[in-house]
Amino acid sequence: MILGMGTDLCMIPRIESSIERFGDRFLDRVFTAAEREHADRLSGAARMGSYAKRWAAKEACAKALGTGFANGVQLQDVGVINSESGAPVLILSGRAKDVCDSLAPAGHRAEVLVSLTDDPPFALAQVIIQAVAA
């Protein structure tokens, strides 16, 4: 059963401009240490695409949760890592995790799925929260 779904389309140059303008202040406020480590291993367009996809994932997740970035849900509460196979995985913490867990009906747990892609100048993320038997 689908509990929530969100999609976000982001302009890569918009994220690049924010990074150029605000530097570490922006990066520290928005991205987790793991996200920064992943993106900073890349260079040029690949680096900016990585940051933009992760921004889009945060936005898509906030939509899927039904809260947006309100009710205590923060940008840092939503992070994207990559599995051993390279697939993106959303990691929720803080209030985002609490909200997500509360969406599942009795006898179920919430599972978060994410898909990321970019085709400059765009980055896209889709997040689905589904209930699976506990």
Side-chain angles (χ1 to χ4, degrees):
M1 148 184 8
I2 294 179
L3 304 172
M5 186 178 89
T7 302
D8 191 69
L9 181 66
C10 173
M11 294 288 292
I12 297 170
R14 190 179 113 220
I15 299 303
E16 184 173 19
S17 293
S18 293
I19 292 170
E20 288 172 358
R21 183 171 179 198
F22 300 108
D24 284 337
R25 198 171 96 212
F26 173 77
L27 293 169
D28 289 340
R29 185 176 66 82
V30 174
F31 299 101
T32 66
E35 289 173 314
R36 289 191 66 183
E37 182 180 313
H38 174 80
D40 289 344
R41 284 189 298 229
L42 307 170
S43 62
R47 179 174 178 258
M48 288 305 135
S50 178
Y51 277 125
K53 286 184 285 191
R54 280 152 177 74
W55 172 273
K58 293 170 185 290
E59 292 281 346
C61 184
K63 292 172 186 174
L65 290 171
T67 59
F69 288 105
N71 300 321
V73 175
Q74 309 271 330
L75 288 161
Q76 286 277 338
D77 291 345
V78 181
V80 179
I81 62 168
N82 291 84
S83 70
E84 287 185 21
S85 69
V89 177
L90 257 173
I91 303 297
L92 303 184
S93 62
R95 182 74 178 131
K97 182 174 179 3
D98 294 342
V99 170
C100 185
D101 290 344
S102 75
L103 296 174
H108 292 78
R109 64 177 176 79
E111 180 179 70
V112 183
L113 306 171
V114 62
S115 180
L116 306 175
T117 191
D118 64 334
D119 186 7
F122 302 106
L124 176 81
Q126 182 172 32
V127 171
I128 296 173
I129 303 172
Q130 64 180 1
V132 295

